[in-house]
Amino acid sequence: MFIQPFGPKIYQDIVSSSVSSILEKLTYRNENDLTKRVNKNLLGFVSKQIDLFNEQELRNDVLPEINKLIVNYLQHSSQFFSGQLINWNSRDFNLRSCWSNIQQPKEFLPTHNHPVDIVCVVYPIVSIQTKNTYDCNDDAEPGQITFHYGEGVVPFTTTSLSIVPQTGTILIFPGWLKHSSYPIFGENDIRISTSFNFVFSEYLRMKLNK
């Protein structure tokens, strides 16, 4: 499903149960390996940010499905190389980095973007039962992701979009699109997100310059 509440398109769907299961397994398998922690390289108030980039199962059993969805996204998104007709394929982009966030109560990601071309986020497992514990004037749902586009309040214009992910949710969007993630609150609540950063390949640039 394509969503376009403002300029760029966002793709939302559900990945196969096998992809969710593999990402959940890889995340928990590396949870306590401190050499896999990438917190210092990433933004956010999340204590467990775990590098999955070199996991062979990720490349063999997860990326093929993710790549197909990205090709589909690019074929329906005119914001990339506007005006040029491109027959997209998986050789046109490369995985730059991949990591999982295991969110703990009251941890969150402030508004940010990614310095890459395409971002894909998969939620291998989400189980949230506890409501917002703060008494505040905010109807945000725990664990939601919010996209931000534009500045200030513009009459009759949408400048944000919030999505409450469920197990298996996948979101694909341009790397420059700002977004933030809200905290969860229950000790037994679970919210794992796996982020994939992609950059356009040299093969694509050579193809466009022919």
Side-chain angles (χ1 to χ4, degrees), residues 145-163:
I145 179 172
T146 298
F147 294 95
H148 310 272
Y149 184 75
E151 300 293 337
V153 178
V154 181
F156 310 111
T157 300
T158 299
T159 59
S160 68
L161 170 71
S162 295
I163 295 172

Side-chain angles (χ1 to χ4, degrees), residues 123-140:
Y123 298 84
I125 179 169
V126 179
S127 177
I128 300 173
Q129 306 298 326
T130 308
K131 297 297 183 182
N132 189 345
T133 59
Y134 293 114
D135 185 15
C136 61
N137 182 22
D138 192 335
D139 59 359

Side-chain angles (χ1 to χ4, degrees), residues 11-144:
Y11 181 76
Q12 179 181 359
D13 207 340
I14 300 293
V15 296
S16 65
S17 58
S18 63
V19 164
S20 290
S21 296
I22 292 168
L23 291 176
E24 180 184 354
K25 179 183 70 174
L26 293 176
T27 300
Y28 281 130
R29 188 170 75 191
N30 293 289
E31 177 181 6
N32 297 315
D33 184 351
L34 296 183
T35 67
K36 294 290 186 73
R37 295 290 173 87
V38 286
N39 301 61
K40 291 184 178 180
N41 301 324
L42 300 172
L43 178 145
F45 298 92
V46 177
S47 56
K48 294 182 178 181
Q49 297 182 293
I50 302 157
D51 185 19
L52 300 182
F53 182 75
N54 292 316
E55 294 291 332
Q56 202 59 48
E57 280 183 89
L58 179 89
R59 297 181 175 275
N60 293 342
D61 303 323
V62 173
L63 274 184
E65 182 173 330
I66 301 297
N67 286 345
K68 287 181 182 179
L69 292 173
I70 291 178
V71 168
N72 180 57
Y73 171 72
L74 289 169
Q75 287 173 340
H76 291 86
S77 302
S78 60
Q79 67 257 30
F80 299 101
F81 304 98
S82 179
Q84 299 192 55
L85 184 62
I86 301 174
N87 183 22
W88 293 98
N89 64 68
S90 59
R91 293 179 64 187
D92 294 329
F93 49 87
N94 297 321
L95 182 66
R96 171 66 60 84
S97 56
C98 177
W99 69 94
S100 280
N101 294 325
I102 304 179
Q103 211 163 334
Q104 306 298 309
K106 298 187 179 180
E107 293 185 339
F108 66 97
L109 295 173
T111 302
H112 65 288
N113 57 17
H114 296 206
V116 293
D117 296 308
I118 306 164
V119 175
C120 168
V121 182
V122 178
Y123 298 84
I125 179 169
V126 179
S127 177
I128 300 173
Q129 306 298 326
T130 308
K131 297 297 183 182
N132 189 345
T133 59
Y134 293 114
D135 185 15
C136 61
N137 182 22
D138 192 335
D139 59 359
E141 293 290 327
Q144 76 178 31

